[in-house]
Amino acid sequence: MSNDPRIDTVVKMAERLIEALTQDIAMLEAGRPREMTSLDPRIQQLCAQYAREAARLNRHELLAAPAGQRARLTSTTKRFQEVLGLHTRILTRIRTASEGMIKAVAEEVEKRRSRARPYSPAHGARPNAPRPASSSLLYNAVV
């Protein structure tokens, strides 16, 4: 049995993606998300190519491959899935925290806007009356 070059190609792509995701995790932990490697179009193309190549491998080809090559593919795939899972969890935490901060800021802005001002015309307005447009929209409409 000889090594299947397509399996070697998939393993090399997975190893490169593992490197990129590991660098992403380091950048996220350092608070520098703009320096993430996965934002590079070449890495995104590699990811798409990896998905295509991995999908093209069929069971019969994998069973016909030498045991060492199958073991390398299995261990690389397992490492890739672990790193990808960690990357996903970190991004989910960051997204959740960011959304929470944005929601808190929006609620605070809304709370401050809705406070009754004794000398404002909106003070005596009905609660269901349409609110006037925000001042930023008014300024932008003038320009």
Side-chain angles (χ1 to χ4, degrees), residues 45-85:
Q45 289 172 351
L46 178 64
C47 188
Q49 186 178 4
Y50 170 80
R52 283 191 304 271
E53 291 297 321
R56 285 181 48 206
L57 293 177
N58 63 43
R59 183 173 188 238
H60 301 292
E61 292 171 337
L62 295 174
L63 291 176
Q69 191 179 30
R70 276 196 322 261
R72 185 169 174 226
L73 176 65
T74 302
S75 68
T76 303
T77 302
K78 184 179 178 183
R79 267 193 2 246
F80 179 59
Q81 290 174 343
E82 289 170 356
V83 171
L84 185 60

Side-chain angles (χ1 to χ4, degrees), residues 61-132:
E61 292 171 337
L62 295 174
L63 291 176
Q69 191 179 30
R70 276 196 322 261
R72 185 169 174 226
L73 176 65
T74 302
S75 68
T76 303
T77 302
K78 184 179 178 183
R79 267 193 2 246
F80 179 59
Q81 290 174 343
E82 289 170 356
V83 171
L84 185 60
L86 177 60
H87 188 268
T88 301
R89 286 191 303 275
I90 290 172
L91 283 177
T92 301
R93 287 182 199 142
I94 291 171
R95 187 188 78 224
T96 303
S98 298
E99 289 173 353
M101 288 188 311
I102 290 170
K103 184 178 177 185
V105 168
E107 288 173 353
E108 183 64 26
V109 167
E110 185 62 30
K111 194 185 316 179
R112 288 183 183 194
R113 279 187 181 167
S114 65
R115 285 187 188 149
R117 296 187 184 142
Y119 296 108
S120 68
H123 179 62
R126 299 185 323 264
N128 294 333
R131 291 190 359 212

Side-chain angles (χ1 to χ4, degrees), residues 34-55:
R34 291 181 188 216
E35 297 177 28
M36 289 174 43
T37 309
S38 63
L39 299 177
D40 184 354
R42 292 174 297 189
I43 297 298
Q44 293 175 3
Q45 289 172 351
L46 178 64
C47 188
Q49 186 178 4
Y50 170 80
R52 283 191 304 271
E53 291 297 321

Side-chain angles (χ1 to χ4, degrees), residues 113 122 125 129-135 137-138:
R113 279 187 181 167
R131 291 190 359 212
S134 72
S135 57
L137 292 177
L138 292 177

Side-chain angles (χ1 to χ4, degrees), residues 17-32:
L17 290 171
I18 290 169
E19 283 178 35
L21 292 173
T22 303
Q23 290 174 358
D24 276 4
I25 291 168
M27 291 299 105
L28 289 170
E29 288 175 344
R32 299 189 324 243

